[in-house]
Amino acid sequence: MAADIRVGHGFDVHAVGPGDHVMLGGVRLDAPFGVIAHSDGDVLLHALCDALLGAAGLGDIGQHFPDSDPGLKGVSSLVLLARVRGLVEAAGYTVGNVDLTLLAEAPRLGARREAIAGSVAAGLGIGRDRVNVKATTLEKLGALGRREGLAAEAVALLVRR
Ligand code: MG
């Protein structure tokens, strides 16, 4: 019998707003703007949470953490990721690997990419070699290309324990 493996995909976007930093993968990056969000607006972690929930067949991040919940205002998305990890593990799965892509003109990840991958790996309790972080610009096309927002996609593979 084939191994019980499941794939999930996630997408998230947040509009750019006033501020001086953005959170990406649980890491703070200085920026001449912020993002508008109920939580800390970490698009990488929100996309990742949705990929994990999707793979486990557990719906989406909005069902588990509604933005109408005052208890989640300004919450670190690492807290959301920890809760999602708990749900996934309770469902009998362990994370095989995750692949994250930031879609934004800015900020450029540069030297922070390694810190982000390490943060995601720590948040998931998996090895650094199971996390890949990518980034692409939008070639200045569309709303994201005009720096009106940040978006991210994520793919996660779960393996039944
Ligand atoms: Mg979000």
Side-chain angles (χ1 to χ4, degrees):
M1 189 179 132
D4 187 354
I5 59 174
R6 299 178 60 126
V7 68
H9 170 260
F11 174 80
D12 190 48
V13 61
H14 281 277
V16 161
D20 61 2
H21 72 280
V22 297
M23 297 301 296
L24 291 172
V27 175
R28 179 184 166 121
L29 277 77
D30 291 333
F33 53 81
V35 296
I36 299 169
H38 185 69
S39 67
D40 65 0
D42 190 324
V43 289
L44 278 180
L45 291 188
H46 293 182
L48 174 58
C49 284
D50 259 355
L52 293 165
L53 291 170
L58 293 172
D60 67 37
I61 190 172
Q63 291 175 281
H64 292 277
F65 312 111
D67 62 11
S68 56
D69 182 348
L72 296 175
K73 184 158 176 51
V75 70
S76 166
S77 295
L78 286 170
V79 172
L80 305 184
L81 180 64
R83 293 197 203 170
V84 167
R85 175 185 169 188
L87 291 169
V88 164
E89 290 177 351
Y93 291 99
T94 184
V95 178
N97 72 296
V98 299
D99 187 19
L100 313 180
T101 305
L102 176 71
L103 298 92
E105 298 292 333
R108 298 295 173 95
L109 298 184
R112 307 308 297 284
R113 185 191 302 244
E114 187 54 37
I116 291 169
S119 171
V120 170
L124 291 173
I126 60 177
R128 164 67 185 86
D129 60 328
R130 295 178 184 271
V131 177
N132 192 68
V133 177
K134 311 196 294 294
T136 182
T137 71
L138 284 298
E139 300 290 345
K140 299 186 170 61
L141 295 171
L144 295 175
R146 291 190 297 273
R147 303 180 181 228
E148 294 172 11
L150 306 179
E153 295 194 43
V155 175
L157 189 77
L158 298 183
V159 181
R160 185 165 283 285
R161 284 196 302 263

